[in-house]
Amino acid sequence: MRLTGTDRGRLLFVLALATAVAVFTATVPLLRDWFDLRVYHGAVDAWIHHGGSVYDYRVPGTAYGFTYPPFAAVSMLPMALFGLHAAIAVGLLLNLAATAFVLHVLAGERLRRHGWFGLAVTVCLLALLEPVRDTFSFGQVNLVLLALVLGDAWLLSTGRTRWAGIGIGLAAAIKLTPAIFIVLLLLARRPRAAGTAVGVAATATALAAWVMPDASRFYWTEAVWDTTRIGRLDYVSNQSLQGVLARLADPAEPSRAAWALAALAVLGVWVWRARRALAADDLLGAFALTGLAACLLSPITWVHHLVWLLPSLAILFGEGLRHRRLLWIAGGLYVLLCSSVVWLWFDDASGIDGFVGSNTYVWITLGLLLGLPVGQARVNRPPWRRRTSDTAPAPSPAAPARVPASASQPTEPSSAAMAAGTAAGPAVDTRRGGRSEPTGSTRPAAPKPQSSSERASSYTAKPPV
């Protein structure tokens, strides 16, 4: 098929943008060489092929080892079948699949509306975002966990509640931070989904304890309380509340009382705003706020953990298409999250400029928690589509039905139950007769996983002893 003049222009724009992204990624933010995936692969290989414990393994020449719960190691068992390069390839494919699903959930219909051009531009822009490119470059699991959690959000929003909670339960068993979404399910009065999540997490943890009892005993009695196994709290990549306090107190230890007060304040704001979002049936907004709270409350939130900000950015850009001021704010936050600006204070985070600059991503997360536009009226911000069975029945021709006063969204004379076009969410196929259902680097030479500039790692500059 011949390209029109407009299509040729769009193709040239996408090629130029992709080239710029490739050059930027290869030169400005130095690559992480799949360091974390090397940890996963080495730990599982030492366990299966050499009879060691996953928590005793260290990457050669470093002090870094496996820090996740035992079930994470069990879920990574297939790595024992592959060499390192094959494991890297599989990890890349998993992250690509997770990214595709996250995009489908957050902006599926909007991307379909703009076709291949919108998808190509979105992928290029997403590749520039530091948390995303670090997740790929480290070989991390953050995007997979985000996909699991958003899968549950999508199930709940579309009425498929039977399976809701499984994704959150698995994510919590692999990494503890997503457990906060179980609390969200309780706030949302979804006891069945919350019970499913707790049951799945408990079953996965019990399975890991049966498969690797000694490692499980060590993790739950010792390793889980030892943050020094993960890295220094004051390291600039730690963009959590604890990181802010640690950099302020350096070289002393941060105040636990100050952290507790700050954490309680964040929890209070989160509960208040999440309840408001849920009251307006804004499930995506509630999940986005919970991801923000998780990043702030976790003792250590490396920069690549900030993929949990993606739902908030999707909401902000969606609202920005209707309110120009929000679009400028969204664009500014996006540029900052692409800039690696916090690394300017890698060596010294003292002074006012250090306090402000080294915690830039924390301020972004706090700002989104306080100001993300959620819980608005449906006429201004349509929710994710629900199944037809979850909406009010259409009025009968013989006897017009009375619409309940609580119904806040008008029906349309179409066979589709919901209006087309959302700021974020999966699409509805309206071509199905009477029903309308949703369619759904080389090994580091230095004794730490940093680049030659020694400023681009998510770990300690001085490995814990």
Side-chain angles (χ1 to χ4, degrees):
M1 183 176 67
R2 296 182 59 184
L3 294 175
T4 65
T6 301
D7 285 336
R8 281 196 295 269
R10 289 179 174 179
L11 180 59
L12 289 174
F13 176 81
V14 169
L15 290 176
L17 181 59
T19 301
V21 170
V23 171
F24 178 82
T25 304
T27 58
V28 179
L30 299 168
L31 297 178
R32 305 335 190 217
D33 192 30
W34 298 282
F35 185 88
D36 287 8
L37 192 141
R38 293 175 183 272
V39 173
Y40 308 153
H41 183 269
V44 172
D45 180 74
W47 170 32
I48 298 300
H49 298 299
H50 304 285
S53 168
V54 292
Y55 298 110
D56 290 336
Y57 173 80
R58 296 291 183 273
V59 174
T62 78
Y64 302 106
F66 198 81
T67 59
Y68 294 169
F71 180 72
V74 173
S75 66
M76 295 175 184
L77 268 176
M79 283 191 179
L81 303 175
F82 305 113
L84 177 60
H85 292 92
I88 290 172
V90 172
L92 285 173
L93 290 174
L94 283 174
N95 273 327
L96 285 171
T99 303
F101 181 76
V102 168
L103 283 176
H104 168 70
V105 172
L106 295 180
E109 179 165 327
R110 191 172 299 281
L111 291 177
R112 278 186 288 274
R113 189 183 308 162
H114 294 284
W116 67 269
F117 178 72
L119 178 61
V121 171
T122 300
V123 170
C124 288
L125 295 178
L126 197 60
L128 287 176
L129 204 65
E130 185 175 5
V132 174
R133 68 179 190 246
D134 270 9
T135 292
F136 273 89
S137 189
F138 272 117
Q140 260 283 345
V141 298
N142 308 306
L143 283 166
V144 175
L145 300 181
L146 177 60
L148 286 171
V149 170
L150 285 181
D152 276 348
W154 182 78
L155 289 173
L156 290 170
S157 69
T158 55
R160 296 173 172 86
T161 57
R162 179 179 180 182
W163 305 107
I166 294 178
I168 291 175
L170 288 174
I174 293 171
K175 201 169 183 179
L176 299 178
T177 305
I180 192 175
F181 287 93
I182 300 177
V183 182
L184 176 65
L185 294 176
L186 295 174
L187 290 176
R189 298 181 181 179
R190 303 279 190 165
R192 177 174 177 174
T196 299
V198 171
V200 169
T203 301
T205 302
L207 173 64
W210 177 69
V211 173
M212 44 196 311
D214 293 337
S216 294
R217 187 180 305 109
F218 170 77
Y219 179 82
W220 294 111
T221 60
E222 296 185 39
V224 69
W225 314 108
D226 186 7
T227 58
T228 62
R229 289 180 55 88
I230 307 174
R232 278 173 34 209
L233 292 175
D234 65 325
Y235 190 55
V236 73
S237 183
N238 183 14
Q239 294 292 302
S240 68
L241 293 175
Q242 188 78 282
V244 175
L245 296 174
R247 284 186 285 276
L248 277 175
D250 185 52
E253 290 293 318
S255 169
R256 294 185 179 182
W259 179 85
L261 289 173
L264 284 174
V266 166
L267 279 172
V269 172
W270 167 63
V271 171
W272 167 58
R273 301 219 66 212
R275 283 184 177 275
R276 180 183 174 187
L278 293 169
D281 204 19
D282 184 4
L283 194 61
L284 175 59
F287 269 76
L289 291 170
T290 306
L292 298 171
C295 291
L296 291 169
L297 295 172
S298 176
I300 290 182
T301 297
W302 300 135
V303 168
H304 54 73
H305 294 162
L306 296 177
V307 295
W308 293 101
L309 271 61
L310 287 177
S312 298
L313 292 175
I315 291 174
L316 202 57
F317 274 107
E319 291 296 314
L321 296 178
R322 287 184 287 273
H323 305 286
R324 186 64 58 87
R325 180 178 61 86
L326 289 178
L327 189 60
W328 281 103
I329 293 173
L333 297 184
Y334 169 79
V335 170
L336 286 173
L337 286 167
C338 292
S339 66
S340 300
V341 63
V342 296
W343 299 104
L344 295 175
W345 289 270
F346 172 78
D347 293 314
D348 183 10
S350 62
I352 298 297
D353 66 314
F355 175 70
V356 175
S358 69
N359 302 307
T360 299
Y361 298 164
V362 181
W363 309 141
I364 290 175
T365 308
L366 274 171
L368 288 171
L369 181 66
L370 292 168
L372 187 68
V374 299
Q376 299 182 6
R378 291 188 185 183
V379 292
N380 294 327
R381 207 166 95 73
W384 281 340
R385 287 175 172 77
R386 297 178 179 277
R387 296 166 66 178
T388 305
S389 59
D390 294 336
T391 61
S396 168
R402 296 178 61 189
V403 179
S406 61
S408 59
Q409 183 164 338
T411 58
E412 291 211 9
S414 167
S415 61
M418 304 296 290
T422 63
V428 172
D429 188 350
T430 59
R431 299 172 292 178
R432 297 185 182 180
R435 290 185 64 188
S436 175
E437 292 187 359
T439 59
S441 63
T442 59
R443 183 183 300 277
K448 49 185 174 289
Q450 283 149 4
S451 60
S452 57
S453 66
E454 294 188 349
R455 67 177 184 88
S457 169
S458 290
Y459 300 94
T460 60
K462 298 179 181 179
V465 178

